[in-house]
């Protein structure tokens, strides 16, 4: 399956949900926001949001600083 993440085409094995993608990208312990095909998805919906071929995602990682 191919997804476009932050403007870059990436390939993954088989279908997955958004939570599995986050784990695959090692982002599970980060503060993130995800735009999925133009729509912001609440964190509570990640396990039920199934990703499909050609989906486009923008993943923003919050960075703290001082």
């Amino acid at each position: 399956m191919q997804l476009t993440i932050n403007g870059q085409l990436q390939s993954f094995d088989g279908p997955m949900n958004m939570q599995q993608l986050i784990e695959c990208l090692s982002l599970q312990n980060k503060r993130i926001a995800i735009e999925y095909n133009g729509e912001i998805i609440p964190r509570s919906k990640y396990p039920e949001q199934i990703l499909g071929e050609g989906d486009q995602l923008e993943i923003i990682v919050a960075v703290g600083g001082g």
Side-chain angles (χ1 to χ4, degrees):
M1 173 175 68
Q2 292 192 324
L3 303 172
T4 301
I5 301 175
N6 295 346
Q8 296 184 352
L9 195 62
Q10 296 189 31
S11 295
F12 298 91
D13 293 331
M16 67 175 75
N17 64 35
M18 198 168 290
Q19 185 64 45
Q20 291 167 320
L21 175 66
I22 290 167
E23 292 168 7
C24 183
L25 298 174
S26 299
L27 296 173
Q28 63 270 25
N29 295 321
K30 309 247 184 201
R31 296 182 66 189
I32 61 173
I34 300 178
E35 180 183 290
Y36 170 69
N37 294 332
E39 181 180 335
I40 300 293
I41 303 297
R43 184 178 294 271
S44 63
K45 301 285 184 187
Y46 291 174
E48 61 193 58
Q49 183 64 59
I50 303 299
L51 302 173
E53 182 72 30
D55 283 344
Q56 296 187 15
L57 298 102
E58 291 293 325
I59 302 176
I60 314 272
V61 180
V63 177

